[in-house]
Amino acid sequence: MRPAAGLRWSRSAACAAISVALTALSLSVTASAESIPADAPARSDTAYDGPRERPLPGGSGLAWVFDGAGVDDLVYGWDELLTMPAPDSLGGPRSTLTPRELLAFAAGRVAFRIRYTVEQGLGPHYNESACSDCHAHPIQGGVGTLPQHVIHVRELPELPGDTVGMRRVTIAGHAPEQAAGRRGRRRTPPLFGLGLLDALPDAVLSENTDPEDRDHDGIRGWMAEKSRGGPMRPTRFGAKAHEWNLWRFVGAAMQDEMGMTNPASPARPVDADAVADPEVDARTMRRVDGFVRGLAPPPPAKRDAEAERGRALFAGIGCTGCHRETLGTVQGVYSDLLLHDLGETLDAGLDDRPANARTW
């Protein structure tokens, strides 16, 4: 499904947006050059491990200034600026994005559709060859086209005790991954609005934690934590809440689903194919991150009398105890971003500590 013509940018509106963006870029070049202290540490995406903000471009000097200002993204994403869905429509950017973020979003729409080849590093095991293959319905950034995707569980040699989904395709010259005896059915989730969830402070999530059910409402939810070789910190992204920010979540998906090593997934910096690592450069990763981060949440549906009755019923039977409509300043979430034990029925054998096979 494509957005209706009325939801697209008109050429005049796009040109006006570009004019504003260029003005902001000219100012940001000056500001960037003046704001770099002489003793500033070298910027490195491979070393980025900060909170939830998007990492700055790597490098130094004038090239760094122009990269940071978005001139390259303006050229790379020019056609997208003229044709992409309008702000706050399904698949479009959030209307609150800065001009620089808007350029990153447009360039990211292009990078999201890059179809990788074996010669570029695809594999040795993978499911699809482009991000857009799994996030295409009803528009780029949406759900998978397959109603149910069968996931066979495999063990991780580097993380004993953890299991992940087995990839469907193996390139020539490599042995297929071996199933660990369990399987489940999943559908690729949509990416709309994830940038808003990434910006939420951990304290907003911790307000709803109750692992011992002290309020006796029958709901136990807790925040996952991972160390990744460093201090323990709360995580929130992924079916098992295995990543603590969107940057790393995007990088992990590119590596897990396509076998493309990248600067945003430092836990596994190399793979077993013959292509030099990282196989996706930092600029491409920033563009993909900019697209996912900038996606607007789904527009709210019209609330007629029937919808209001359903909304009241949803709350009345206790669904909102876990599926919270609002988290902090973000509305329409319908999640608490916590882990919950969902019982034997949903045990697919996927362990990602501290989440066990029953925990999602």
Side-chain angles (χ1 to χ4, degrees), residues 128 143-152 168 183-189 346:
E128 300 292 351
V143 299
T145 55
L146 296 176
Q148 290 184 320
H149 176 63
V150 178
I151 295 179
H152 293 267
R168 298 185 301 108
R183 71 177 185 177
R185 294 183 181 273
R186 298 288 177 269
R187 185 173 188 174
T188 307
L346 294 179

Side-chain angles (χ1 to χ4, degrees), residues 339-356:
L339 289 175
H340 297 271
D341 186 338
L342 300 184
E344 295 291 341
T345 303
L346 294 179
D347 180 347
L350 287 167
D351 289 285
D352 193 345
R353 296 167 295 171
N356 61 31

Side-chain angles (χ1 to χ4, degrees), residues 111 126 253 271 276 326 345:
Y126 65 96
D271 60 12
T326 301
T345 303

Side-chain angles (χ1 to χ4, degrees), residues 1 31 37 51 83 86 89 97 120 144 192 240 242 244 282 320 324 330:
M1 179 188 302
T83 60
S89 66
L97 296 185
Q120 292 173 309
F192 307 126
K240 299 285 185 175
H242 60 271
W244 54 70
T320 53
R324 297 180 179 272
V330 185

Side-chain angles (χ1 to χ4, degrees), residues 34-360:
E34 293 176 350
S35 62
I36 306 174
D39 59 348
R43 291 167 172 83
S44 171
D45 285 290
T46 57
Y48 174 73
D49 197 26
R52 305 193 197 291
E53 70 269 11
R54 187 168 162 277
L56 291 170
S60 60
L62 188 60
W64 177 84
V65 172
F66 275 90
D67 190 9
V71 175
D72 59 329
D73 285 347
L74 175 63
V75 175
Y76 189 78
W78 175 263
D79 289 340
E80 294 295 318
L81 283 169
L82 300 177
T83 60
M84 66 187 185
D88 292 334
S89 66
L90 190 65
R94 300 198 312 272
S95 59
T96 56
L97 296 185
T98 66
R100 176 65 185 91
E101 290 168 337
L102 183 62
L103 294 179
F105 179 88
R109 279 180 56 85
V110 180
F112 199 78
R113 298 193 299 267
I114 293 175
R115 189 162 300 282
Y116 294 99
T117 65
V118 172
E119 291 73 24
Q120 292 173 309
L122 183 69
H125 306 96
Y126 65 96
N127 286 321
E128 300 292 351
S129 58
C131 300
S132 56
D133 285 342
C134 291
H135 296 278
H137 183 75
I139 198 169
Q140 182 173 317
V143 299
T145 55
L146 296 176
Q148 290 184 320
H149 176 63
V150 178
I151 295 179
H152 293 267
V153 175
R154 65 183 176 90
E155 295 181 344
L156 286 170
E158 68 271 22
L159 295 172
D162 280 2
T163 52
V164 296
M166 188 173 70
R167 276 74 65 94
R168 298 185 301 108
V169 185
T170 302
I171 67 174
H174 293 264
E177 294 174 329
Q178 298 299 310
R182 303 290 297 277
R183 71 177 185 177
R185 294 183 181 273
R186 298 288 177 269
R187 185 173 188 174
T188 307
L191 304 173
F192 307 126
L194 290 189
L196 296 175
L197 300 183
D198 187 60
L200 286 173
D202 291 329
V204 171
L205 277 61
S206 65
E207 291 175 357
N208 300 317
T209 58
D210 185 14
E212 305 300 329
D213 191 22
R214 290 184 175 137
D215 59 6
H216 305 293
D217 64 354
I219 298 173
R220 294 176 172 85
W222 62 96
M223 294 179 69
E225 289 188 332
K226 292 276 190 180
S227 68
R228 302 296 191 195
M232 296 291 287
R233 63 182 69 184
T235 55
R236 67 181 66 179
F237 286 106
K240 299 285 185 175
H242 60 271
E243 293 295 350
W244 54 70
N245 62 31
L246 194 54
W247 167 252
R248 292 178 64 110
F249 178 63
V250 170
M254 292 193 75
Q255 183 155 7
D256 292 342
E257 304 300 331
M258 296 187 289
M260 299 297 296
T261 57
N262 61 83
S265 187
R268 288 167 289 156
V270 299
D271 60 12
D273 59 28
V275 180
D277 301 299
E279 295 155 343
V280 181
D281 60 44
R283 177 175 296 179
T284 301
M285 283 306 306
R286 288 196 303 273
R287 286 171 171 164
V288 175
D289 174 86
F291 167 66
V292 176
R293 187 176 302 275
L295 275 168
K302 182 179 179 181
R303 285 188 174 176
D304 54 19
E306 184 178 3
E308 288 299 332
R309 286 194 296 271
R311 186 164 175 256
L313 178 62
F314 189 78
I317 62 177
C319 297
T320 53
C322 298
H323 300 277
R324 297 180 179 272
E325 182 177 3
T326 301
L327 283 180
T329 59
V330 185
Q331 297 182 340
V333 180
Y334 292 101
S335 174
D336 57 11
L337 299 182
L338 301 177
L339 289 175
H340 297 271
D341 186 338
L342 300 184
E344 295 291 341
T345 303
L346 294 179
D347 180 347
L350 287 167
D351 289 285
D352 193 345
R353 296 167 295 171
N356 61 31
R358 299 163 37 129
T359 304
W360 301 90

